[in-house]
Amino acid sequence: RRITCFCGIEPVDNFTGICQYDELGAVGSFGNNSDTFWGANIFTAGSSDPVSAVSTWAVSSDCEYEISIYTGVTAGNPVSGTLAGTETGSIDLPGYYTILLGAPVAVVEGEMFSVVVKYRTPGYNYPLPYEYAEPDYTSAAVALPGQSFYSGDGTSWTDFQEQDKTANACIKAFGPASARGQTGIG
């Protein structure tokens, strides 16, 4: 028997928009047999509203994260452009979390920005939450080249398309209105 609890539910209109590729949510976790791994999504800002929060999953207890947001990125390289903001912290229990940024990050409508998350999950070697098409569960999951990336060192990046054509990292940005390929709430 499984019990689920939802705590700290937020209203759906507390942000102007959402940029996401994982509309169905985490299906599994990915890594390279190490408790430290990076994931990233590159988005195109649909407005100049600042990024004020990021959400992702903690896939194990005592998950540590470091969020970096880059603006003016080039396609295929989530750590290009300008490092515009960072946020670090830890999460005690596994689950889905929305992390408010200490300072909102300005983005420019029509320009690409990235959200990069370094995960550290002590004792668990698959830190990166991701969505993929799982028959009879998330078979509608879709992905395109250039959306989601992973890295074992935070420097060299691989497009998730090379691993699974339906996979995306479970990382969302809140604030900028949605653009093509993303879902909006505002």
Side-chain angles (χ1 to χ4, degrees), residues 48-61:
S48 292
D49 293 341
V51 176
S52 54
V54 169
S55 70
T56 190
W57 292 82
V59 297
S60 74
S61 298

Side-chain angles (χ1 to χ4, degrees), residues 2-183:
R2 188 175 280 204
I3 298 174
T4 302
C5 175
F6 297 95
C7 302
I9 303 300
E10 298 182 25
V12 296
D13 61 353
N14 60 347
F15 298 106
T16 57
I18 180 173
C19 293
Q20 66 178 7
Y21 297 122
D22 61 314
E23 295 181 23
L24 303 174
V27 178
S29 57
F30 188 75
N32 63 349
N33 207 27
S34 170
D35 70 357
T36 303
F37 205 66
W38 286 256
N41 281 342
I42 295 177
F43 300 110
T44 300
S47 76
S48 292
D49 293 341
V51 176
S52 54
V54 169
S55 70
T56 190
W57 292 82
V59 297
S60 74
S61 298
D62 302 318
C63 176
E64 298 170 12
Y65 62 84
E66 181 179 318
I67 298 167
S68 300
I69 300 176
Y70 292 83
T71 57
V73 301
T74 57
N77 186 354
V79 295
S80 61
T82 302
L83 177 60
T86 61
E87 192 73 34
T88 61
S90 62
I91 299 169
D92 294 336
L93 298 172
Y96 177 75
Y97 292 88
T98 300
I99 301 155
L100 296 175
L101 302 178
V105 174
V107 295
V108 177
E109 182 177 356
E111 288 191 7
M112 289 188 291
F113 70 96
S114 67
V115 180
V116 177
V117 182
K118 175 184 178 182
Y119 299 89
R120 183 170 176 275
T121 52
Y124 186 71
N125 291 336
Y126 304 94
L128 175 59
Y130 75 118
E131 174 191 86
Y132 58 90
E134 176 71 29
D136 299 323
Y137 183 57
T138 55
S139 53
V142 294
L144 296 172
Q147 293 178 334
S148 290
F149 301 83
Y150 61 86
S151 175
D153 61 11
T155 303
S156 176
W157 294 88
T158 302
D159 193 314
F160 249 117
Q161 290 285 293
E162 292 184 28
Q163 174 67 27
D164 182 331
K165 300 271 188 235
T166 68
N168 275 309
C170 292
I171 299 170
K172 303 176 192 293
F174 292 93
S178 67
R180 188 180 53 162
Q182 296 135 38
T183 300

